[in-house]
């Protein structure tokens, strides 16, 4: 299984961009392109439906050795056999998410990865102190994938990397076109949601992003 500490490209399978019928094909292409983590993000989908989708994905991520992260439903981690969960600022605390992700009827399951969305330097520092394994940091630029959330800009990227030791995935409005600018501003790990999911060849897109990202 790929290690979180080595992860540079985080793929998010956002059902806002991918029809359910396309889930398998898109996931396979993302994995073939070399995403280091795969998150299922299905806003507005109920828990049972997310569990069904996550079970489909785990059949693909497991043989690929890529950790599967479930957004919003840490309690699904044990039943799906996923590697972790991602929570937002308004969701469960990291400790609560970790507790939910780490327990099944059969007992404790291996240490889950818990990630948290952060939207400022202060939130990033707080998430690390709270025990998150990684953070998302963004949106760097305003993005329709996360509407209504003001852009952080590029100025805080260097400061957040100085202040926080856990892996930081920069996110929000990142495109191939601005990737080098984002890296020059200090980013080392990224998430690109909409441009990747809309790419005519997702595998090729992911490979091109990986080729630009710095070695850790
Ligand atoms: N969290 C902060 S920005 C964002 C999330 C989930 C969406 C990023 O999507 P895109 O399409 O890469 O701008
Ligand atoms: Mg959430």
């Amino acid at each position: 299984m790929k290690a979180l500490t080595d992860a540079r490209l985080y793929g998010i399978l956002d059902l806002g961009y991918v029809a359910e019928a396309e889930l398998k094909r898109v996931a396979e292409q993302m994995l073939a392109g070399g995403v280091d983590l795969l998150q299922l993000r299905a806003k507005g989908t109920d828990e049972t439906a997310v569990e069904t989708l996550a079970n489909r994905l785990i059949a693909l991520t497991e043989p690929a050795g890529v950790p599967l992260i479930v957004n919003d439903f840490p309690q699904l981690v044990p039943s799906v056999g996923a590697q972790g969960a991602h929570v937002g600022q308004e969701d469960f605390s990291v400790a609560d998410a970790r507790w939910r992700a780490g327990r099944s009827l059969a007992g404790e399951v291996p240490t889950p990865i818990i990630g948290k969305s952060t939207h400022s330097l202060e939130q990033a520092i707080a998430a690390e102190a709270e025990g998150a394994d990684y953070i998302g940091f963004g949106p760097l630029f305003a993005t329709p994938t996360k509407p209504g959330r003001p852009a952080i800009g590029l100025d805080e990227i260097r400061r957040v990397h100085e202040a926080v030791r856990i892996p930081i995935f920069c996110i929000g409005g990142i495109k191939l076109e601005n990737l080098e600018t984002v890296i020059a501003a200090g980013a080392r790990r990224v998430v690109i949601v909409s441009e990747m999911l809309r790419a005519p060849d997702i595998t090729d897109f992911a490979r091109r992003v990986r080729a630009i990202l710095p070695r850790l």
Side-chain angles (χ1 to χ4, degrees), residues 43 71-72 86-91 117:
K43 293 286 165 193
N71 192 310
D72 286 342
H86 186 93
V87 293
Q89 287 290 318
E90 286 89 36
D91 301 327
S117 298

Side-chain angles (χ1 to χ4, degrees), residues 141-154:
F141 308 104
T143 169
T145 311
K146 189 124 174 177
R149 180 72 69 184
I152 301 176
L154 300 178

Side-chain angles (χ1 to χ4, degrees), residues 8-206:
R8 297 183 295 148
L9 177 59
Y10 189 168
I12 298 187
L13 231 170
D14 186 325
L15 282 244
Y17 293 102
V18 180
E20 254 187 68
E22 297 288 302
L23 189 80
K24 182 166 184 280
R25 180 187 62 81
V26 171
E28 282 169 350
Q29 291 188 355
M30 291 169 92
L31 294 166
V35 299
D36 300 309
L37 295 170
L38 188 73
Q39 180 186 126
L40 173 60
R41 184 175 193 259
K43 293 286 165 193
T45 306
D46 70 38
E47 184 174 335
T48 315
V50 171
E51 182 169 17
T52 304
L53 299 171
N55 276 322
R56 272 186 223 151
L57 290 179
I58 198 82
L60 307 172
T61 55
E62 196 79 63
V66 171
L68 177 65
I69 308 293
V70 182
N71 192 310
D72 286 342
F73 296 103
Q75 63 273 28
L76 292 179
V77 166
S79 58
V80 169
Q83 281 64 43
H86 186 93
V87 293
Q89 287 290 318
E90 286 89 36
D91 301 327
F92 301 115
S93 68
V94 169
D96 198 356
R98 194 178 295 291
W99 192 88
R100 286 163 194 264
R103 266 152 199 85
S104 73
L105 288 176
E108 294 207 11
V109 294
T111 330
I113 297 169
I114 305 296
K116 184 150 180 162
S117 298
T118 66
H119 314 298
S120 66
L121 178 61
E122 292 67 31
Q123 287 181 0
I125 293 169
E128 178 171 50
E130 205 193 334
D133 294 304
Y134 74 84
I135 55 169
F137 184 72
L140 300 184
F141 308 104
T143 169
T145 311
K146 189 124 174 177
R149 180 72 69 184
I152 301 176
L154 300 178
D155 293 350
E156 298 282 72
I157 296 178
R158 214 165 294 279
R159 268 191 289 275
V160 79
H161 284 81
E162 281 161 14
V164 168
R165 293 333 316 163
I166 54 176
I168 301 164
F169 294 90
C170 287
I171 184 168
I174 304 178
K175 317 257 174 221
L176 261 183
E177 178 195 275
N178 59 27
L179 183 57
E180 287 177 34
T181 310
V182 167
I183 292 165
R188 304 169 73 207
R189 313 172 194 252
V190 298
V191 188
I192 299 179
V193 183
S194 48
E195 197 179 46
M196 183 181 300
L197 296 177
R198 286 172 168 160
D201 184 338
I202 293 174
T203 301
D204 174 66
F205 182 88

